[in-house]
Amino acid sequence: MKILETRVYVGPNQYAHFPVIRLTLDLEEMEAWPTGRLGEPFIQALLEALPGLHEHGCSYGEPGGLVRRLREDEGTWLGHVLEHVAIELQNTAGLDVTFGKTRSAGPEGVYHVVYAYEQSEEGLEAGKLALSLLENLLPAELASAAGGADEAFDFVAEQEAYIRFAQRRALGPSTASLVRAAEERGIPWIRLNPYSLVQFGHAKYQRRIQATVTSETRHIAVEIASDKEETNQILGDLGLPVPQQRLVYDAERAARVAERIGYPVVVKPLNANHGRGVSLNLVEADQVRTAFEEARQHARTIIVESCITGLDHRMLVIAGELVAVSRRVPGHIVGDGKSTVDELVAAVNADPRRGIGHEKVLTRIEFDHQAKRLLQQLGYTRESVPAEDEVVYLRSTGNLSTGGTAEDVTDIVHPDNREMAQRAALAIGLDVAGVDFLTSDISRSYRETGGAICEVNAAPGFRMHVSPSEGKPRDVAKPVMDMLFPPGSPSSIPIASITGTNGKTTTARMVAHILKLAGRHVGLTTTDGVYIDGQRTVEGDMTGPAAARMVLRDPSVDVAVLETARGGLLRSGLGYRRSTVGACLNVAADHLGLRGVDTLEELAEIKRIVVEVAQEAAVLNADDDLCLKMADYTESDSVCYVTLNPKHTLVREHIRAGGCAAALEDGVNGQMITLYEGGSHMPLLWTHLIPATLEGKARHNVQNAMFAAVIAYKMGLKLEDIRHGLRTFDTSFFQAPGRMNVFHEHPFKVILDYGHNAAAVQALCDLVTDMEVIGRRICVLAAPGDRRDQDVGDIARAAAGCFDLYICKRDDALRGREPNEIPEMLRSELMAAGVSEDQILMVPDEQLAIDTGLRAAEPDDLLLVFGDQIKRCWDQITRFSPGLESPAEAFPVAGPAPSAADNERGAKRSVAPSPPPETPADLIEAGQTKLVRDERGVRLARETED
């Protein structure tokens, strides 16, 4: 067995609306060995290794379902078993995941194993350990076929190592409780580092936490709380009960101070936490000296203070209110008169509630300096046998992280003690404070029983309150969320997610332009970069989840417009859980045959993710059947349709039912974009008034404008703002690079477009056909190398018959093709579609092909260029001058041999370098060719010997 591919989905994806991992597993020979054939020894060994598998419901939806699947009929295949083992391993590490599914990946014996995760590293490691476990449980005769058993494999040790690995990377119990509270309120969150720094909310509404320190926690308050002497003085000055204390810097000074204060005393570091280096109830100078040396391992400055007798209570104050109190008991054992200290500790640690670190409710007790010191005080060693019912403390403090226990006593706190804790937190200035209070009885006033505040802690742990050893669990995370996001306040900015095969970049830019003119601070992601308030901050194809998170983490952004491409959805899913508006413009043949997407229906299923997670509106193309079907999968408040057909039956019924739609209506003055909702008829704008539509002739941009209008409308913009935005948006290179950019300053007109599939090419060809052109129509045509042969043919057929001259080229990146393969295919398909051979030029290099088109064009001609390197193409078009002697010198051509990156997609072929193609100017100068003009236009004809 072997894992062929690993994918980590960070958000909604084709398998679930939450993060999952997908392992593509090849069972190889084990495809013939389901669990029924492997037999009872394998099943028993698996269940003994992971008893929790008994609780997995599997497809039966009840505990024991998986075990039933393992045994009934021929059993189940090991890919399915791997899914459950990976889930259960995460469960044993304290990670709450349950979802999984296993599906065939196509070839026999190859499966997609999908399972949920909380943190990706832990999830990936669980998959690796799961595979190792299964391989080592196989019968010896099969182990070698499955990859070979490891004789040194010790699952118990490996599992414990995995748990420690997961605990180091997982969110701590306090942070995790805050994340759960956020999820319950629908507040989005993003983990910002491998530790406990988390962002709640998006963009301008974001708040952050680091453990339980919040973005509202004052730095000066943390500094005061970290200085135990300063804290003691401030509280004492306010009349709050505190012990006497002094700072010391050497052991002898500590002993003298202890004598002056009076025994018993406490020795502790000035600024440590979690009870580290704290020694209690010291009654003689030697103990003080020893405790000083232990404390010095954690801080340079040490405190000696009077030891207040009583029980240790942690009082949690949030936003000035006491929300929970726990009585903490240090880690201890209780003698039975027969067992040694070692045996009693082992028995305590065997409690299923105890685990490694923060894995479970309680932490295992470990032998350390404190345990040895306390045993020595009693005259005990680890081999001693305590008397029956004798309590032997192995810790001085009640911290859960060192093996202590906690009992909730919130309901019995005396009002005086409540007021005392709240005054202490307010005095220090902490929004979230842990007040450590020693008293014999928390239900009686400190004025009556005495007691004292030992510390006020910033970043107090929530574990003892969320999962107490005894008593009622308290939801202490909710008050923090309510403090950061008062009920009714926003936590997420409006998000528009736009997908489709064609038009999504232009539509996204239109929406962003409308929003910006309406006064919003827009975060935009497109195929050419991330834009914040109109300024490009990151260059490149930014249509995946990483780019979306850049925008959602920017504190200046108040609305996000996110172009969402299929590539990012297939690689990593969405970068956010929900959007305000999700739009799918169309589904057309593009990128088919790549990444397991072979049909239009499969492509629609991927793009549908955007629609599925929309909350307020799903905007769909009613003229595209695959888009229409997506309406069945959305849970948004409304479905909005866009149609170019004013007689669309479904849309008409939808409008009559009060639904939202945009339709194109005919009028005396042309065609009007009209919005409908709730019975209202809202004429918006004549199409010829929208610059991006070239007086209404560019039908694809008319449709894009309709989508932009509906999206903006559902995001709360006024009709006047939408009109203003559309009337001022054009397709200039600076507003929409590579999207129908028109250049008028030559004697002929040039249009540059990034169209790279048949639907996009058809839309531009329709536009060129509708435009009034006095001269000829010329096209520089290309197709990406990683498209199927069928797709390349469709591109050529879409362009056939629309132009007087075709110049066939390729993109710079060959993507698995031979250097001249794509131009030759285009030429062949054009001729098969009826284009005359002498109307076709083959100039493979993009720069030379564009130069050929520019030189062939004469006044009143129209040149349409389908470009790849858009900026370079635009520069070449705008800087063109017929006087240039050599286009090769004006625009140097890199060697045509493809790099490894060129061929990372598509079929891998060995491509030998070939000499640069001859330029038209070179051929003409050598007397080998000439430009010929006839009734069919301009063509480049090679001279023959005749």
Side-chain angles (χ1 to χ4, degrees):
M1 297 188 291
K2 62 182 178 183
I3 295 174
L4 303 178
E5 183 186 52
T6 299
R7 289 213 174 276
V8 178
Y9 295 94
V10 299
N13 55 81
Q14 64 204 90
Y15 303 105
H17 287 172
F18 45 81
V20 298
I21 287 170
R22 189 189 79 187
L23 305 178
T24 303
L25 176 71
D26 188 351
L27 291 182
E28 299 177 310
E29 291 84 349
M30 298 311 300
E31 169 68 6
W33 288 86
T35 55
R37 188 178 178 191
L38 288 172
E40 197 62 27
F42 173 84
I43 296 172
Q44 281 295 337
L46 177 63
L47 296 176
E48 287 173 8
L50 291 169
L53 292 174
H54 284 283
E55 301 301 314
H56 287 219
C58 200
S59 56
Y60 292 102
E62 59 184 15
L66 173 64
V67 176
R68 181 176 170 185
R69 288 286 307 275
L70 292 172
R71 290 182 170 136
E72 68 182 357
D73 301 327
E74 58 184 349
T76 189
W77 273 256
L78 291 186
H80 181 211
V81 178
L82 175 66
E83 166 207 323
H84 281 274
V85 172
I87 291 171
E88 181 57 25
L89 282 170
Q90 293 182 82
N91 293 162
T92 65
L95 305 173
D96 185 19
V97 295
T98 58
F99 173 82
K101 63 169 61 176
T102 300
R103 299 288 184 269
S104 171
E108 183 178 1
V110 179
Y111 297 88
H112 288 319
V113 179
V114 180
Y115 55 90
Y117 69 89
E118 284 191 2
Q119 305 300 330
S120 59
E121 288 180 311
E122 297 97 295
L124 292 170
E125 198 65 24
K128 294 176 185 176
L129 181 54
L131 183 60
S132 296
L133 174 62
L134 294 182
E135 289 176 341
N136 283 277
L137 291 180
L138 293 174
E141 62 273 16
L142 294 176
S144 59
D150 182 357
E151 295 181 1
F153 183 79
D154 180 347
F155 178 66
V156 174
E158 293 288 340
Q159 184 182 18
E160 183 164 321
Y162 169 72
I163 292 172
R164 293 185 184 277
F165 171 88
Q167 286 297 310
R168 288 194 299 271
R169 290 159 176 80
L171 294 172
S174 300
T175 309
S177 70
L178 290 166
V179 166
R180 286 193 296 271
E183 289 179 336
E184 288 173 4
R185 279 195 49 186
I187 297 171
W189 63 279
I190 302 172
R191 190 173 184 177
L192 300 179
N193 68 8
Y195 308 104
S196 54
L197 182 62
V198 175
Q199 173 184 315
F200 292 117
H202 284 156
K204 67 177 288 187
Y205 297 121
Q206 66 180 273
R207 301 288 186 271
R208 295 177 183 173
I209 63 163
Q210 178 94 49
T212 58
V213 173
T214 79
S215 52
E216 308 307 303
T217 302
R218 297 182 179 127
H219 176 74
I220 192 170
V222 176
E223 288 293 308
I224 292 171
S226 299
D227 187 327
K228 293 178 174 57
E229 180 191 34
E230 191 70 33
T231 299
N232 182 275
Q233 181 178 338
I234 289 174
L235 298 183
D237 289 346
L238 294 177
L240 293 168
V242 292
Q244 297 183 57
Q245 63 175 215
R246 299 287 186 277
L247 295 183
V248 296
Y249 299 93
D250 62 70
E252 290 305 320
R253 172 69 175 165
R256 291 196 298 273
V257 168
E259 293 285 348
R260 188 175 306 119
I261 290 176
Y263 291 109
V265 297
V266 176
V267 173
K268 59 185 179 182
L270 176 65
N271 52 8
N273 54 20
H274 294 296
R276 297 185 182 96
V278 178
S279 299
L280 303 178
N281 202 29
L282 307 177
V283 296
E284 58 184 42
D286 285 343
Q287 291 179 349
V288 172
R289 295 185 186 98
T290 302
F292 178 90
E293 296 302 331
E294 171 62 20
R296 278 296 292 270
Q297 296 181 27
H298 303 278
R300 295 183 60 188
T301 305
I302 309 302
I303 290 177
V304 178
E305 70 179 19
S306 55
C307 183
I308 307 301
T309 58
L311 300 172
D312 180 10
H313 297 83
R314 166 58 64 82
M315 310 180 77
L316 182 64
V317 180
I318 298 173
E321 295 293 327
L322 183 71
V323 297
V325 181
S326 284
R327 179 186 296 132
R328 301 187 294 181
V329 180
H332 64 278
I333 55 176
V334 180
D336 60 8
K338 297 178 292 185
S339 305
T340 66
V341 170
D342 255 345
E343 291 169 340
L344 292 170
V345 169
V348 169
N349 286 339
D351 184 338
R353 296 179 301 166
R354 290 191 183 268
I356 301 167
H358 297 300
E359 163 200 359
K360 297 184 178 178
V361 174
L362 299 173
T363 300
R364 294 177 185 175
I365 297 176
E366 305 287 346
F367 279 105
D368 62 3
H369 167 78
Q370 276 196 41
K372 293 176 184 177
R373 179 178 64 80
L374 293 172
L375 285 176
Q376 287 173 358
Q377 287 181 358
L378 297 172
Y380 286 171
T381 67
R382 294 171 66 167
E383 286 72 39
S384 299
V385 178
E388 187 171 358
D389 296 330
E390 179 184 2
V391 177
V392 177
Y393 289 100
L394 300 174
R395 289 290 181 276
S396 299
T397 60
N399 297 76
L400 267 66
S401 58
T402 58
T405 58
E407 176 188 1
D408 179 75
V409 292
T410 307
D411 294 332
I412 64 171
V413 175
H414 191 279
D416 286 351
N417 298 337
R418 177 183 298 273
E419 181 192 26
M420 173 204 65
Q422 292 172 174
R423 284 185 64 206
L426 183 62
I428 302 305
L430 289 170
D431 58 337
V432 180
V435 179
D436 289 346
F437 179 58
L438 291 178
T439 183
S440 58
D441 188 349
I442 195 72
S443 66
R444 297 167 62 191
S445 172
Y446 72 91
R447 294 186 175 93
E448 176 187 348
T449 63
I453 298 173
C454 301
E455 295 180 11
V456 178
N457 297 275
F462 287 178
R463 183 183 176 200
M464 69 187 75
H465 308 294
V466 174
S467 304
S469 313
E470 299 177 37
K472 180 181 177 181
R474 302 287 170 172
D475 185 2
V476 296
K478 182 179 182 299
V480 177
M481 283 297 112
D482 290 345
M483 176 183 68
L484 296 176
F485 300 95
S489 65
S491 61
S492 179
I493 60 172
I495 299 172
S497 183
I498 301 169
T499 193
T501 302
N502 294 309
K504 53 186 179 292
T505 299
T506 300
T507 303
R509 286 182 171 276
M510 282 181 173
V511 174
H513 180 73
I514 294 169
L515 289 165
K516 181 172 174 56
L517 291 190
R520 308 299 292 274
H521 203 98
V522 186
L524 169 68
T525 65
T526 72
T527 52
D528 65 316
V530 174
Y531 293 80
I532 304 297
D533 198 34
Q535 299 297 314
R536 185 161 66 178
T537 59
V538 182
E539 188 174 352
D541 187 347
M542 306 302 288
T543 56
R549 291 195 173 196
M550 287 182 193
V551 168
L552 298 177
R553 288 176 58 178
D554 193 307
S556 68
V557 170
D558 60 18
V559 62
V561 180
L562 309 175
E563 179 183 347
T564 307
R566 53 163 286 288
L569 292 170
L570 285 169
R571 284 191 305 272
S572 306
L574 283 174
Y576 44 93
R577 296 290 184 91
R578 293 175 290 274
S579 64
T580 308
V581 179
C584 186
L585 311 187
N586 44 62
V587 180
D590 195 14
H591 295 94
L592 297 181
L594 300 174
R595 299 184 185 275
V597 178
D598 300 313
T599 67
L600 284 175
E601 289 71 21
E602 290 171 344
L603 182 59
E605 186 176 343
I606 300 301
K607 294 185 178 296
R608 194 179 71 204
I609 297 167
V610 167
V611 175
E612 292 174 354
V613 302
Q615 286 186 294
E616 296 187 15
V619 184
L620 302 173
N621 185 348
D623 301 330
D624 187 315
D625 288 343
L626 291 173
C627 289
L628 271 180
K629 293 177 182 178
M630 295 180 187
D632 294 334
Y633 295 88
T634 184
E635 296 181 0
S636 63
D637 296 340
S638 66
V639 174
C640 306
Y641 293 117
V642 173
T643 180
L644 297 174
N645 176 12
K647 298 181 180 180
H648 198 294
T649 304
L650 183 148
V651 176
R652 180 187 301 156
E653 294 302 317
H654 182 69
I655 291 171
R656 289 176 177 176
C660 176
L664 197 61
E665 297 183 345
D666 291 325
V668 175
N669 195 32
Q671 291 186 313
M672 171 72 73
I673 296 176
T674 307
L675 302 183
Y676 298 86
E677 188 175 41
S680 297
H681 174 259
M682 298 171 278
L684 186 68
L685 195 63
W686 297 107
T687 60
H688 66 266
L689 296 179
I690 303 173
T693 68
L694 300 186
E695 299 183 342
K697 294 183 176 66
R699 297 279 289 182
H700 61 289
N701 267 358
V702 170
Q703 187 179 65
N704 292 339
M706 295 171 72
F707 268 101
V710 175
I711 293 168
Y713 175 72
K714 296 307 292 185
M715 294 182 80
L717 268 69
K718 298 177 182 178
L719 296 183
E720 192 53 45
D721 290 330
I722 299 171
R723 292 188 185 102
H724 182 49
L726 291 178
R727 291 194 66 162
T728 54
F729 181 89
D730 59 32
T731 58
S732 67
F733 179 80
F734 302 101
Q735 275 202 307
R739 271 68 188 177
M740 209 174 69
N741 307 141
V742 183
F743 190 73
H744 298 277
E745 297 182 20
H746 294 314
F748 47 88
K749 183 178 293 185
V750 183
I751 300 176
L752 172 65
D753 196 89
Y754 182 65
H756 53 278
N757 57 62
V761 171
Q762 184 67 62
L764 268 295
C765 291
D766 290 344
L767 167 65
V768 169
T769 301
D770 289 345
M771 293 178 70
E772 296 179 3
V773 179
I774 298 174
R776 296 153 302 118
R777 294 174 174 87
I778 303 170
C779 179
V780 177
L781 186 64
D786 59 354
R787 302 309 193 264
R788 302 172 303 174
D789 290 358
Q790 171 188 336
D791 299 325
V792 177
D794 288 343
I795 288 173
R797 285 186 287 275
C802 300
F803 300 92
D804 302 293
L805 176 65
Y806 297 84
I807 301 167
C808 300
K809 72 173 185 68
R810 56 168 168 78
D811 293 344
D812 288 0
L814 301 184
R815 300 181 181 184
R817 298 282 188 175
E818 298 288 348
N820 296 339
E821 187 174 354
I822 289 294
E824 288 173 349
M825 290 177 65
L826 292 170
R827 176 176 176 276
S828 176
E829 292 291 345
L830 286 170
M831 291 174 61
V835 178
S836 173
E837 181 177 5
D838 56 10
Q839 289 181 272
I840 304 170
L841 305 180
M842 206 177 78
V843 185
D845 178 79
E846 179 169 82
Q847 291 172 289
L848 298 180
I850 293 173
D851 186 78
T852 300
L854 292 167
R855 290 179 180 280
E858 294 190 350
D860 298 326
D861 286 352
L862 185 149
L863 171 63
L864 173 61
V865 176
F866 290 103
D868 175 36
Q869 300 297 320
I870 295 300
K871 186 177 185 307
R872 185 184 68 193
C873 293
W874 185 250
D875 287 344
Q876 183 175 356
I877 291 168
T878 57
R879 297 174 184 175
F880 171 73
S881 171
L884 290 175
E885 294 183 3
S886 171
E889 292 176 2
F891 304 99
V893 180
S899 66
D902 292 335
N903 290 295
E904 66 180 352
R905 292 186 288 177
K908 299 294 186 285
R909 301 174 183 168
S910 175
V911 182
S914 61
E918 296 173 292
T919 69
D922 292 337
L923 297 175
I924 294 171
E925 184 179 352
Q928 297 176 348
T929 61
K930 62 179 179 179
L931 285 174
V932 177
R933 181 181 298 276
D934 57 22
E935 68 278 3
R936 289 170 293 187
V938 172
R939 55 194 173 90
L940 192 66
R942 184 177 293 271
E943 294 282 3
T944 65
E945 292 183 0
D946 295 337

